[in-house]
């Protein structure tokens, strides 16, 4: 798929987002799909599977544009599988992470560590949890920001 076709696909996704409305676009996760299409276009020159996903995405967006009203279950399931497949491929093969990935990881680690510290060191679970949550948010946000600056986010 060439640059012009990719631009057309991205424009079609934006039009579809406006057409279906905010609630439906959120349910279909069209913002993530738009970001993933952009990123997959970056790798399509080198990666055969990215080219295949881009072609699948192009035909799928055409299908979504032609639908009137609500999606049937089969189309919605196919849509979610396509998004999950693209994201999983980009995480495995191209070492990209979803936005907010590190925040979630470090926050959960901070809660666990804060709980342990609260029981043992502070003799107060609430203080330990507060310290753990604050540390997790700070570290996770910093890692997410660094990943975004390096261009490693979907």
């Amino acid at each position: 798929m060439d640059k012009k076709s990719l631009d057309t696909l991205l424009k079609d996704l934006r039009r579809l987002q406006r057409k279906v409305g905010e609630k439906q676009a959120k349910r279909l996760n069209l913002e993530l799909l738009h970001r993933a299409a952009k990123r997959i276009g970056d790798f399509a020159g080198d990666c055969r599977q990215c080219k295949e996903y881009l072609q699948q995405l192009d035909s799928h967006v055409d299908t979504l544009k032609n639908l009137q009203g609500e999606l049937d279950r089969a189309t919605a399931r196919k849509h979610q599988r396509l998004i999950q497949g693209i994201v999983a491929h980009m995480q495995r093969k191209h070492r990209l992470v979803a936005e907010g990935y590190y925040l979630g990881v470090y926050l959960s680690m901070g809660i666990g560590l804060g709980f342990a510290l609260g029981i043992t060191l502070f003799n107060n679970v609430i203080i330990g949890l507060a310290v753990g949550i604050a540390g997790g948010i700070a570290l996770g946000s910093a890692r997410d920001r660094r990943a975004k600056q390096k261009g490693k986010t979907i």
Side-chain angles (χ1 to χ4, degrees):
M1 182 176 259
D2 61 343
K3 176 89 169 121
K4 194 173 186 178
S5 300
L6 179 63
D7 289 340
T8 305
L9 173 65
L10 294 174
K11 286 178 185 175
D12 286 346
L13 272 169
R14 284 294 180 211
R15 274 190 227 114
L16 182 64
Q17 232 174 341
R18 286 190 299 270
K19 177 184 172 186
V20 298
E22 188 176 328
K23 187 177 180 181
Q24 183 78 356
K26 196 171 194 169
R27 187 169 353 125
L28 290 173
N29 220 348
L30 291 180
E31 186 61 38
L32 174 63
L33 189 61
H34 186 268
R35 289 192 320 261
K38 214 185 277 189
R39 292 309 308 250
I40 214 161
D42 296 342
F43 297 111
D46 302 331
C47 180
R48 179 186 55 80
Q49 195 168 5
C50 285
K51 286 180 190 174
E52 291 173 10
Y53 274 127
L54 213 46
Q55 291 170 349
Q56 288 177 9
L57 190 58
D58 191 34
S59 65
H60 182 67
V61 169
D62 286 339
T63 303
L64 290 177
K65 283 189 326 187
N66 295 330
L67 287 177
Q68 300 296 326
E70 290 292 317
L71 293 174
D72 60 337
R73 269 202 153 134
T75 307
R77 219 174 289 130
K78 180 183 174 190
H79 177 77
Q80 291 303 324
R81 270 192 245 126
L82 179 63
I83 291 175
Q84 289 171 352
I86 290 171
V87 169
H89 167 73
M90 293 177 78
Q91 287 174 337
R92 272 192 322 270
K93 176 87 171 160
H94 303 294
R95 302 284 182 214
L96 299 180
V97 294
E99 287 184 354
Y101 171 77
Y102 290 115
L103 181 64
V105 169
Y106 281 90
L107 184 60
S108 61
M109 288 173 34
I111 289 172
L113 186 62
F115 185 75
L117 286 176
I119 289 175
T120 59
L121 191 62
F122 299 122
N123 289 330
N124 189 340
V125 176
I126 294 174
I127 292 173
L129 283 176
V131 168
I133 288 172
I137 288 173
L139 291 173
S141 297
R143 288 288 308 263
D144 277 335
R145 192 171 35 257
R146 194 174 321 138
K148 191 168 189 164
Q149 287 173 346
K150 289 182 178 182
K152 293 288 186 179
T153 58
I154 297 174

